[in-house]
Amino acid sequence: MNFQPVLLWSDLLLWLLAFAAIGLGACSTRAEHLRRAWARLGRNPVATGTTTILCVFLLIGLLDSLHYRPRLEENPAANETPNVTHYAVEVRSLLDALLFDLREQHERTYSAPLAIRLSTMETEETPNGVTQDYPRLAYGGAHLADESGHARDLLLRAAQGVVLAALLFGLLKMALAGHRQRRPAGAPGFAWQGVLYALGVFLLFALPIAFLAADYHVFGTDKVGQDVLYQALKSIRTALVIGLVTTLIMVPLAIFLGIVAGYFRGWADDLIQYVYTVLNSIPGVLLIAAAVLMMQVIIDTHSEWFATAAERADLRLVALCFILGVTSWTGLARLLRGETLKLRELDYIQAARAFGVSSGRIITRHLLPNLMHLVIIALVMDFSALVLTEAVLSYIGIGVDPAMMSFGSMINNARMELSREPAVWWSLATAFTFMLVLVLCANLLADALRNVFADNTSGQQ
């Protein structure tokens, strides 16, 4: 076998969340009011378009969550045990295999986007003496024998990507037109136009970048010469893990405590309110920093637990998700408590209690289904907040492991680069752009979900 599969904790959690989301979506179609809400959401072009872009991010994250250790080539000169397979210590992912050229094509140091020379001047010895110049890149634009053809080559590659994107968009539009003709007249349908235009915008940017990335560093390189586009794509998984796994920890805790406080009231309500009031009174960054530093001490003193550096970085990432989840449940719990206090006074809840229906059955059959729209909206909105939180924590040095790529690490590494002359701005701009697209799509989807479920709730009332 040419590789050894590696299952990290974050891989397991991310894939479980993906399958759980599919399962919950299928189960939610059994309830009439949820089915109507999802159908109304599907008729919203903004919702379908943003969901399409988020699915692209999720696909990249899932590809980066299939890890393996490549097999080492046998060295006949080495004194090795026969018939024993050795694997590399470095852990790679399927995304690394797909982006092999971006990953391996390192330059010496900084280079600007689409440049063919380094951004720093170096001293070179020539037959005419010692000169200072900006050296040619080892990979970026190395196929160009004459630098005068640089601009023409960039335009040609970008034009090829735009033309291919236009052709694919046209084919998709023709397929959508055929689908609309087969649909009964006047029947409400899925907002495929949102998916179509979202894919069109994605292809318009992705394909020219793909054509250019074959021989150029599209977003430049960093201090150690690593491609910034590769770093941004690898950072997507970290953002998804922080946003999704943290909600996996936060939401059950918030649902349980919020419903218990609102339904049972009395001493249970007082105790839960006291707990989240105390938590909210502690500065969040200080609380997270203290927990992360304590976890880091445990990791440093038990290095024998980890076979690879990736496992060590992954444990810190999962620990950060746990810490964020434990400290971020209070807002949703307070919201669910208030809604539960209102729902428990409704006639059908009072009737169920009068007929002796158990509290557990009332909560699971009547309260929880009527609170799920708040949970779904909070999930999407908290995802955006958590992605931004990771960037802030990594910026101040208490986020993910330095060996793990993330948007926060990119921003942290870029802060000193802005003071250089000339300023190295492309790492910061790339991280900001990717984060902006991810968070903006999540926020737009949250707005659409809030409008749909608000209309659905008012319709039921």
Side-chain angles (χ1 to χ4, degrees):
M1 195 171 182
N2 293 328
F3 63 91
Q4 181 186 53
V6 176
L7 183 62
L8 302 177
W9 281 107
S10 57
D11 297 340
L12 178 63
L13 293 172
L14 194 58
W15 279 100
L16 283 177
L17 279 171
F19 287 118
I22 296 173
L24 288 174
C27 293
S28 66
T29 57
R30 299 177 182 178
E32 180 63 27
H33 67 287
L34 289 177
R35 188 163 57 247
R36 288 198 305 267
W38 292 124
R40 193 179 299 113
L41 184 69
R43 293 193 291 271
N44 186 338
V46 175
T48 56
T50 53
T51 302
T52 302
I53 301 299
L54 290 174
C55 286
V56 173
F57 279 99
L58 181 60
L59 177 62
I60 295 173
L62 292 176
L63 289 175
D64 202 17
S65 297
L66 295 172
H67 287 97
Y68 66 95
R69 294 168 62 183
R71 180 179 178 178
L72 295 175
E73 296 182 0
E74 295 182 1
N75 186 3
N79 187 16
E80 298 178 348
T81 306
N83 301 324
V84 175
T85 304
H86 298 277
Y87 297 96
V89 176
E90 182 185 17
V91 177
R92 301 179 184 177
S93 69
L94 182 56
L95 184 66
D96 290 325
L98 296 175
L99 303 176
F100 180 80
D101 291 338
L102 289 180
R103 182 177 181 276
E104 297 297 328
Q105 293 178 356
H106 279 235
E107 306 294 346
R108 277 183 287 181
T109 184
Y110 299 110
S111 65
L114 300 173
I116 59 176
R117 289 183 176 272
L118 292 176
S119 296
T120 58
M121 187 175 290
E122 295 184 357
T123 302
E124 295 181 344
E125 293 186 4
T126 64
N128 298 327
V130 178
T131 61
Q132 285 189 334
D133 195 5
Y134 296 98
R136 282 289 300 268
L137 298 179
Y139 299 99
H143 64 289
L144 296 174
D146 185 5
E147 293 186 32
S148 61
H150 180 208
R152 180 177 177 275
D153 187 57
L154 292 178
L155 291 174
L156 180 61
R157 289 170 181 267
Q160 290 174 343
V162 171
V163 170
L164 181 58
L167 290 175
L168 292 175
F169 179 77
L171 292 175
L172 292 172
K173 195 168 185 178
M174 290 173 59
L176 178 60
H179 172 72
R180 285 179 173 176
Q181 289 179 355
R182 292 190 298 269
R183 192 178 64 192
F190 188 80
W192 287 108
Q193 66 271 24
V195 177
L196 174 67
Y197 287 108
L199 287 176
V201 172
F202 169 73
L203 293 173
L204 182 62
F205 284 95
L207 291 180
I209 289 175
F211 276 90
L212 291 167
D215 289 296
Y216 293 97
H217 301 290
V218 181
F219 297 123
T221 57
D222 64 357
K223 185 176 182 179
V224 297
Q226 191 171 49
D227 191 273
V228 173
L229 174 60
Y230 172 75
Q231 294 180 29
L233 293 175
K234 291 285 289 183
S235 299
I236 291 174
R237 176 184 180 271
T238 305
L240 292 176
V241 171
I242 290 289
L244 297 177
V245 175
T246 302
T247 57
L248 176 67
I249 300 168
M250 175 189 69
V251 168
L253 194 62
I255 290 176
F256 175 76
L257 295 177
I259 292 179
V260 167
Y263 182 77
F264 293 103
R265 298 190 296 187
W267 66 267
D269 187 18
D270 295 337
L271 178 61
I272 293 171
Q273 284 192 75
Y274 178 79
V275 171
Y276 65 60
T277 301
V278 171
L279 278 177
N280 286 334
S281 65
I282 303 174
V285 174
L286 295 180
L287 184 61
I288 294 170
V292 168
L293 292 176
M294 286 190 294
M295 186 64 197
Q296 188 60 42
V297 170
I298 297 175
I299 293 175
D300 291 339
T301 54
H302 295 85
S303 57
E304 68 278 4
W305 291 354
F306 314 104
T308 62
E311 294 179 3
R312 175 192 178 99
D314 184 73
L315 180 61
R316 176 164 173 171
L317 176 63
V318 174
L320 180 61
C321 294
F322 178 80
I323 294 166
L324 289 173
V326 170
T327 57
S328 304
W329 58 270
T330 56
L332 180 58
R334 184 185 290 111
L335 178 65
L336 295 178
R337 171 187 173 274
E339 190 68 14
T340 303
L341 286 172
K342 182 179 72 174
L343 291 176
R344 75 184 301 276
E345 302 301 330
L346 296 180
D347 293 340
Y348 68 94
I349 300 291
Q350 295 295 330
R353 296 179 64 185
F355 280 105
V357 179
S358 65
S359 297
R361 189 170 181 82
I362 292 175
I363 290 173
T364 56
R365 292 293 299 273
H366 300 295
L367 290 179
L368 190 58
N370 288 291
L371 295 172
M372 286 309 297
H373 67 285
L374 297 176
V375 175
I376 294 172
I377 296 169
L379 277 176
V380 183
M381 297 187 70
D382 287 340
F383 170 82
S384 303
L386 290 167
V387 171
L388 298 176
T389 300
E390 183 277 325
V392 173
L393 294 176
S394 296
Y395 177 77
I396 61 178
I398 56 172
V400 300
D401 192 271
M404 179 172 288
M405 297 180 190
S406 70
F407 294 129
S409 299
M410 292 179 66
I411 295 172
N412 184 38
N413 295 333
R415 61 177 176 174
M416 298 302 296
E417 299 172 354
L418 294 175
S419 61
R420 292 175 55 90
E421 183 59 40
V424 180
W425 51 267
W426 42 87
S427 293
L428 179 63
T430 303
F432 173 80
T433 302
F434 274 75
M435 282 183 60
L436 175 65
V437 175
L438 178 60
V439 173
L440 180 61
C441 289
N443 286 339
L444 290 175
L445 180 59
D447 290 339
L449 283 168
R450 183 173 60 247
N451 294 335
V452 165
F453 282 106
D455 295 341
N456 193 54
T457 303
S458 62
Q460 287 181 337
Q461 292 176 353

